[in-house]
Amino acid sequence: MTGRLTRLNPGELHETPGYHHITVVEAGRTAHLAGQCPLDSAGTLVGAADLVAQVDQVVANTRIALAAVAARPEDVVRSVIYVRSDDRADLSAAWERLTTSPIGAAFTSASTLLGVSRLGFPGQLVEVDFTVALPG
């Protein structure tokens, strides 16, 4: 809990694997990041058929996007993770890789993890979008 962000887990709700059920932004501006995809700066898909490589590229892209608005992973108030799979092991692998990455703190706020049948680019396995409370 900080002066401008409050993260809560009401006792009546289930325990979480690291995220919070509720994140309250006390005041300020927000940034809404487009879904971060596993594309390099030339727009080429990184890690065809390799979930770990794609997650790592999403992390790298997210770090750039956060820096562009002078924000840190701790400033993220909501994330939605899309994994192209219906296999729980794939979803768990993506979650673990993201939460232990340099942007891992972004996933302590309100977060949703979804298995989906298709994403926007051929061969794309993961995408993550973020809402960020911009620092004062």
Side-chain angles (χ1 to χ4, degrees):
M1 189 174 349
T2 69
R4 69 188 181 91
L5 299 179
T6 304
R7 294 177 171 94
L8 306 167
N9 280 327
E12 299 83 6
L13 294 176
H14 66 85
E15 289 190 32
T16 69
Y19 66 90
H20 287 81
H21 285 285
I22 302 165
T23 302
V24 177
V25 179
E26 301 300 337
R29 298 173 35 229
T30 58
H32 301 266
L33 279 55
Q36 297 301 297
C37 299
L39 305 177
D40 64 17
S41 62
T44 303
L45 181 74
V46 170
D50 185 341
L51 181 61
V52 169
Q54 289 196 17
V55 167
D56 290 349
Q57 185 64 46
V58 165
V59 167
N61 293 348
T62 300
R63 292 178 79 188
I64 293 167
L66 289 172
V69 293
R72 303 169 305 143
E74 294 82 1
D75 299 316
V76 170
V77 296
R78 175 135 176 77
S79 62
V80 181
I81 305 157
Y82 305 91
V83 180
R84 194 179 129 219
S85 179
D86 63 358
D87 185 339
R88 189 168 177 79
D90 291 337
L91 276 67
S92 294
W95 176 259
E96 183 170 336
R97 188 75 176 185
L98 286 165
T99 59
T100 60
S101 77
I103 65 165
F107 304 99
T108 64
S109 289
S111 189
T112 300
L113 173 62
L114 301 168
V116 299
S117 63
R118 186 169 310 272
L119 290 165
F121 295 96
Q124 182 181 355
L125 302 175
V126 65
E127 183 168 334
V128 185
D129 66 54
F130 300 92
T131 304
V132 183
L134 295 176

